[in-house]
Amino acid sequence: MSDLNGLTLAEARDKLRAGDVSSVELTKAFLGEIEGAAALNAFVHHTPEIALAQAEAADARIAAGDAPAMCGLPVGIKDLFCTKGVPSQAASRILEGFRPEYESTVTQNLFDAGAVMLGKLNMDEFAMGSSNETSCYGNAVNPWRRGNDDAALTPGGSSGGSAAAVAADLCLAATGTDTGGSIRQPAAFAGITGIKPTYGRCSRWGVVAFASSLDQAGPMTKSVRDAAIMLEAMAGHDPKDSTSADLPVPDFEAMLTGDIRGKVIGVPKEYRMDGMPAEIENLWAEGTEMLRDAGAEIRDISLPHTKYALPTYYVIAPAEASSNLARYDGVRYGHRAALAQGDGITEMYEKTRAEGFGHEVQRRVMVGTYVLSAGFYDAYYNRARKVRTLIKRDFETVFAEGIDAILTPATPSAAFGLGEMSEADPIAMYLNDIFTVTVNLAGLPGIAVPTGTDAQGLPLALQLIGRPWEEGDLLNTAYALEKAAGFVAKPAKWW
Amino acid sequence: MSIDKDTAARVAKLARIRVEEDALPALAEEFNNILTFIEQLGEVDVEGVEPMTSVTPQKLKRRADEVTAGGHPEAVLKNAPDAREGFFAVPKVVE
């Protein structure tokens, strides 16, 4: 590995601007690293020609003195983002062969800011999963291992490829998306930083839809500063997404002062789950102390509807998925099943969807279909939407009482082994999102910051939850936590 | 609410996903596990609570009712599994 691969986004940017390195050199260093990292299965579609062309263009811009925020910086793109002319299949068989004729707004924003795309990243199929094990490309593998044990661990999900790639220095940063924790949980499992912004901060246009009222894109990076830089480049109003917010995007990086004196941090008692591992409890207590030492006031708070967040999510997300995924019918794009003599259009739909969707996606589509069906709509879907109102109200209440940010664990455990959960009930897997899912239901920004390791040396993270549209303030609190925690561990290279 | 094999078959049909007969009992069992989990929501007092329609309190924007895109039939059909003479092609739907 050259020294270039280990740089943060901010360091690489500064070197490019100073003329210490060119974007082409930087890009080649990453392309070489990706070549040698097949064992991680993080990059699933490689785009070296695009990357080198973008790098040359970026070098020309830098030479001309026109270097926007991401100019010349090589990143990876989650397979959920439509990228023009490049396979974009949401890790699903049903989108095999699909090459969009258009570019998602987020990737276009990144390219306009000068970013270089190295390729597309592995993920759970349609972003449905917490371990990257539902992908049609096979598992992505976490670069971290338990001590000297060579058992393969999950990088989390759904943005597992993004987390593995950033943690293994295969790219400077990556895009992720988060519907119930899909940026924050993999970031936590891989010892990197991941922020899900306020719902509406990033355009969803051109991002393959899972649950439209919950989906948000965000950056997965090596530091809080990098998250600030990349989020600013990704965000912004987009007339093509009617839920995208027509609000100015602040200079997030300029807001990183590290000064959080006088800020009020809430610690919610409902997140102290029965049977919480001592390691997670200690991590949380240590993080609380770090913020207190930095001058914040710590206050115990209550978010009484927390325990209903996961069941609410498992009504709303499948309901929206069943509707969104109705478009995969074998007519307009992707896979169509081979038909038997006499098969009509219904057989075409049914066979195409049975062949094209994996087991977890089928299960969620059918659960969604059931909760939306006549006679159950009120009992399940409408009730869940009412509980969602109450969950959001819990947050509004504490923010109105002066809380600036909320500190919680990011995940209930460190990364687990690939295959370890295969015999478990799907609900056991769903519990991975127990600390993150409330944030999506309430539309709030949330960030995972690595702050420690478990007894086996695996990274552990805390989550900070902020007020809507105040990502700048949230990033600054995360920056203070990052500085205090001083997490610098890297996985030992075995791949 | 307990889901039996027939209900599972009906849901699969509604979702347009072919499920083989012998896979239905296991599917019904999975549905039941998930629904049991979801049924906790019955404990919550939601009297007088509005169901959420939008997580951010903002008015949906309107735009002028005019054509903003179009005229790209090749691009639209480019990814179709079967396209003929400027149309998506599907199995016969009328006798």
Side-chain angles (χ1 to χ4, degrees):
Chain A
M1 186 190 301
S2 77
D3 296 343
L4 297 174
N5 299 88
L7 296 175
T8 64
L9 198 68
E11 288 164 353
R13 173 192 64 184
D14 297 345
K15 278 187 182 298
L16 282 169
R17 289 183 181 173
D20 295 344
V21 66
S22 71
S23 177
V24 169
E25 280 174 72
L26 197 57
T27 300
K28 283 182 175 162
F30 283 108
L31 290 172
E33 206 57 29
I34 293 168
E35 282 292 302
L40 298 176
N41 200 22
F43 277 89
V44 290
H45 297 289
H46 301 249
T47 57
E49 296 86 4
I50 292 174
L52 287 169
Q54 287 174 330
E56 279 170 26
D59 283 332
R61 286 180 87 170
I62 293 166
D66 159 39
M70 297 287 295
C71 199
L73 300 171
V75 299
I77 303 296
K78 188 177 182 180
D79 198 39
L80 203 66
F81 293 82
C82 288
T83 43
K84 191 170 182 178
V86 175
S88 307
Q89 62 182 93
S92 181
R93 267 199 78 195
I94 209 156
L95 277 171
E96 215 162 65
F98 176 57
R99 288 172 188 258
E101 287 290 305
Y102 48 85
E103 190 70 43
S104 83
T105 299
V106 162
T107 47
Q108 188 62 54
N109 288 349
L110 286 170
F111 298 155
D112 290 347
V116 170
M117 175 171 75
L118 295 164
K120 303 298 283 288
L121 292 162
N122 206 345
M123 55 179 282
D124 278 297
E125 184 180 8
F126 284 106
M128 296 179 193
S130 300
S131 63
N132 212 117
E133 291 171 288
T134 70
S135 168
C136 75
Y137 308 117
N139 303 336
V141 180
N142 198 326
W144 290 87
R145 286 176 163 179
R146 296 175 182 130
N148 295 321
D149 183 348
D150 62 5
L153 304 183
T154 176
S158 70
S159 310
S162 302
V166 174
D169 290 332
L170 308 184
C171 51
L172 289 171
T175 61
T177 61
D178 190 315
T179 304
S182 281
I183 286 175
R184 292 159 287 157
Q185 183 255 22
F189 279 10
I192 63 166
T193 300
I195 181 169
K196 180 202 92 72
T198 312
Y199 182 81
R201 184 60 95 179
C202 290
S203 170
R204 292 179 296 107
W205 196 83
V207 183
V208 174
F210 161 16
S212 303
S213 79
L214 301 161
D215 298 343
Q216 261 296 293
M220 299 175 70
T221 59
K222 298 182 195 181
S223 72
V224 173
R225 178 174 300 280
D226 289 3
I229 296 167
M230 187 158 162
L231 177 60
E232 192 181 331
M234 292 167 69
H237 177 240
D238 177 13
K240 288 186 285 196
D241 173 2
S242 63
T243 62
S244 116
D246 195 357
L247 291 173
V249 180
D251 182 343
F252 293 130
E253 191 184 8
M255 295 173 81
L256 302 179
T257 60
D259 182 0
I260 58 163
R261 283 173 297 176
K263 294 283 176 194
V264 185
I265 308 296
V267 176
K269 65 172 189 216
E270 290 80 5
Y271 283 59
R272 204 168 299 282
M273 300 292 174
D274 287 342
M276 180 185 263
E279 287 176 324
I280 301 290
E281 199 144 351
N282 293 339
L283 184 86
W284 194 10
E286 285 162 14
T288 308
E289 278 317 302
M290 289 174 202
L291 294 177
R292 195 197 310 271
D293 289 347
E297 180 196 329
I298 307 297
R299 213 180 278 174
D300 289 327
I301 58 167
S302 174
L303 300 166
H305 294 91
T306 299
K307 76 174 271 212
Y308 301 109
L310 268 178
T312 300
Y313 178 84
Y314 278 97
V315 175
I316 291 174
E320 294 187 19
S322 88
S323 175
N324 273 325
L325 272 59
R327 74 191 68 183
Y328 303 103
D329 54 10
V331 176
R332 287 157 295 170
Y333 28 64
H335 179 73
R336 176 185 291 189
L339 300 182
Q341 195 69 31
D343 277 354
I345 195 153
T346 305
E347 287 78 14
M348 183 193 77
Y349 295 148
E350 291 180 349
K351 287 184 176 177
T352 295
R353 290 161 66 79
E355 288 176 8
F357 291 145
H359 190 68
E360 180 65 21
V361 172
Q362 291 190 19
R363 175 160 54 211
R364 294 202 202 186
V365 166
M366 288 191 274
V367 166
T369 302
Y370 181 75
V371 299
L372 289 176
S373 63
F376 302 107
Y377 185 91
D378 255 325
Y380 292 115
Y381 184 63
N382 265 344
R383 176 166 280 268
R385 291 196 303 140
K386 288 177 185 174
V387 179
R388 186 176 179 188
T389 298
L390 294 172
I391 290 166
K392 183 172 180 235
R393 197 176 289 169
D394 285 353
F395 285 101
E396 286 167 346
T397 304
V398 298
F399 289 141
E401 287 165 359
I403 298 295
D404 292 299
I406 297 164
L407 184 73
T408 78
T411 56
S413 71
F416 49 89
L418 286 163
E420 254 171 37
M421 302 276 277
S422 59
E423 295 304 314
D425 190 88
I427 300 194
M429 188 67 103
Y430 297 170
L431 289 173
N432 265 288
D433 291 337
I434 197 155
F435 301 126
T436 49
V437 74
T438 49
V439 176
N440 301 75
L441 290 168
L444 302 170
I447 184 167
V449 181
T451 60
T453 52
D454 75 353
Q456 293 166 306
L458 296 178
L460 294 172
L462 291 172
Q463 171 181 238
L464 282 159
I465 304 167
R467 296 164 176 262
W469 312 116
E470 294 187 15
E471 291 90 348
D473 197 51
L474 177 67
L475 283 159
N476 188 44
T477 306
Y479 182 59
L481 180 64
E482 176 187 57
K483 281 206 301 185
F487 181 90
V488 290
K490 287 269 200 180
K493 188 168 175 178
W494 52 264
W495 57 90
Chain B
M1 174 56 56
S2 179
I3 291 193
D4 57 16
K5 210 177 109 208
D6 292 344
T7 311
R10 196 162 66 243
V11 171
K13 186 80 193 168
L14 279 172
R16 297 291 183 271
I17 296 173
R18 169 158 301 202
V19 177
E20 299 304 332
E21 184 71 22
D22 59 3
L24 287 172
L27 185 66
E29 181 64 30
E30 285 180 9
F31 285 166
N32 280 321
N33 288 342
I34 293 169
L35 289 177
T36 305
F37 179 62
I38 289 169
E39 264 154 25
Q40 291 176 62
L41 296 179
E43 301 165 13
V44 186
D45 179 5
V46 293
E47 190 64 35
V49 178
E50 279 297 305
M52 185 183 285
T53 49
S54 170
V55 74
T56 40
Q58 56 185 167
K59 251 189 165 159
L60 285 184
K61 280 178 166 283
R62 296 180 176 191
R63 64 167 176 82
D65 184 16
E66 57 196 19
V67 176
T68 55
H72 307 291
E74 298 79 16
V76 170
L77 293 173
K78 185 101 181 263
N79 282 288
D82 191 3
R84 296 171 206 171
E85 298 164 42
F87 295 94
F88 293 109
V90 295
K92 199 160 102 174
V93 286
V94 283
E95 289 304 319

